[in-house]
Amino acid sequence: MQETIDKITRSFNAELEKASSVAELNELRVRYLGKNGVFTEVMKSLKDIAKEDKPFFGKLLNDARVKIEEVLQEKDKTAAKEEQRARLLAERIDITLPGVSAEAGSIHPLSKVKAEFAEIFTSLGFEIKEGPEVELDFFNFQLLNIPKDHPARDMQDTFYITDDVVLRTHTSPMQARVMLEQKPPIRVIIPGKVYRVDDDASHSPMFQQIEGLVVDKNISLCDLKGCLETVCKKLFSSKTKIRFRPSFFPFTEPSVEVDCSCPLCGGKGCRICKGTGWIEILGAGILNPKVLDNCGIDSSVYSGFAFGVGMERVAMIRYGIPDIRIFFENDIRFLKQYK
Ligand code: PHE
């Protein structure tokens, strides 16, 4: 028995020598002291020993077991400490380094302007509609009093898809679509993309308009002016004034070009308004009775007004942006300014 115990102790010590991690020490513990471990086995063989010798060998065995337990615990502690130290070293961070801030996106200035328009017009009782960007010539031109071969077609350089299908050159075809669909009173705005063969610092082949349409009894230029002035005051500042200049559109009669007092200099004259104090912002007019009749609305009973405003133009004025193309370049340095 004595010999067996010595052998166990020796082999344990040899193994202990090699074990250094907490996991290895655990494995050793299970193998020697566990339920099915070496000591349990030897314990079983006690039954074959003479009764009077049992207490002696029992104690011997137990002492050896306790000794092993102690040594294991001791080594365990050092191993755990060592492992923690290594982990802390590996996970070391330099808390004096500057942090990496999370990048948040921002709303595109055009989307902001669009949302503001929507907010203002819905507060005035307008409904918001949308329409197709690929449009029939019939809606884009013909119903709006611009027949084929009419010189007014030159006002808008058109992308033709076929002879009868175009990329809409303005949001005005939605005037016709809405009037064909709805009975007066009508109050809608139609925001959306439009396309023209045009490309320079103030024109882009794709840009966005907001069409406005009101049809009811006794609608006059006064209503148009009141409506647009209210909108411009909300959009720019309460001091903003507007003025009408005579113009021509085949679908409105009379037609006007609308200027607002320059929101950047307050009307004194600056680079943006080219020293005039006024900035042209949209085209508008009283619905041509021909268009009402074309769309099945009795022009002897109803009248209306319409306007078309360029969203990029408003955003350019609003934020003092000199070139329309910047909107579409997706330059993060530009976009970041509008957070
Ligand atoms: N559709 C015109 C344009 O794009 C603007 C407009 C709309 C004018 C409604 C009058 C009435 O230039």
Side-chain angles (χ1 to χ4, degrees), residues 173-279:
M174 277 305 286
Q175 288 182 26
R177 285 184 179 273
V178 169
M179 285 192 277
L180 284 168
E181 219 174 66
Q182 258 170 264
K183 294 269 145 298
I186 296 171
R187 250 192 236 120
V188 291
I189 57 162
I190 303 105
K193 297 193 175 99
V194 302
Y195 303 84
R196 287 185 204 174
V197 185
D198 221 346
D199 197 3
D200 60 38
S202 47
H203 298 90
S204 152
M206 185 284 296
F207 60 104
Q208 300 185 61
Q209 284 190 330
I210 295 187
E211 192 80 10
L213 174 71
V214 169
V215 186
D216 206 340
K217 288 176 180 155
N218 303 317
I219 296 290
S220 74
L221 272 183
C222 296
D223 300 300
L224 175 62
K225 191 159 189 193
C227 173
L228 292 178
E229 195 164 87
T230 307
V231 172
C232 287
K233 280 188 184 335
K234 288 197 185 206
L235 204 58
F236 299 117
S237 94
S238 56
K239 296 203 182 78
T240 306
K241 293 196 193 91
I242 64 166
R243 71 177 185 188
F244 282 178
R245 281 180 294 110
S247 185
F248 172 77
F249 297 104
F251 34 95
T252 47
E253 185 57 41
S255 302
V256 292
E257 219 55 80
V258 183
D259 299 341
C260 70
S261 54
C262 177
L264 294 156
C265 63
K268 284 190 215 84
C270 68
R271 184 179 55 90
I272 296 288
C273 61
K274 298 193 180 89
T276 64
W278 294 94
I279 295 187

Side-chain angles (χ1 to χ4, degrees), residues 4 22 44 49 57 73 103 106 118 124 146 149 161 167 173 176 193 196 245 263-264 285 289 291 300 325:
T4 316
V22 173
K44 281 181 196 158
I49 286 178
F57 285 113
Q73 254 174 28
E103 290 273 347
S106 62
L124 295 174
I146 318 175
D149 305 321
I161 290 179
L167 289 184
K193 297 193 175 99
R196 287 185 204 174
R245 281 180 294 110
L264 294 156
V291 175
S300 64
R325 290 167 291 202

Side-chain angles (χ1 to χ4, degrees), residues 19 32 73 126 148-149 228 243 295 297:
Y32 279 86
Q73 254 174 28
F126 282 72
K148 293 234 169 195
D149 305 321
L228 292 178
R243 71 177 185 188
C295 300
I297 290 179

Side-chain angles (χ1 to χ4, degrees), residues 78-92:
T78 359
K81 256 195 209 143
E82 186 50 43
E83 278 178 25
Q84 188 185 38
R85 208 178 69 88
R87 200 170 55 238
L88 288 179
L89 266 178
E91 286 175 359
R92 187 142 107 174

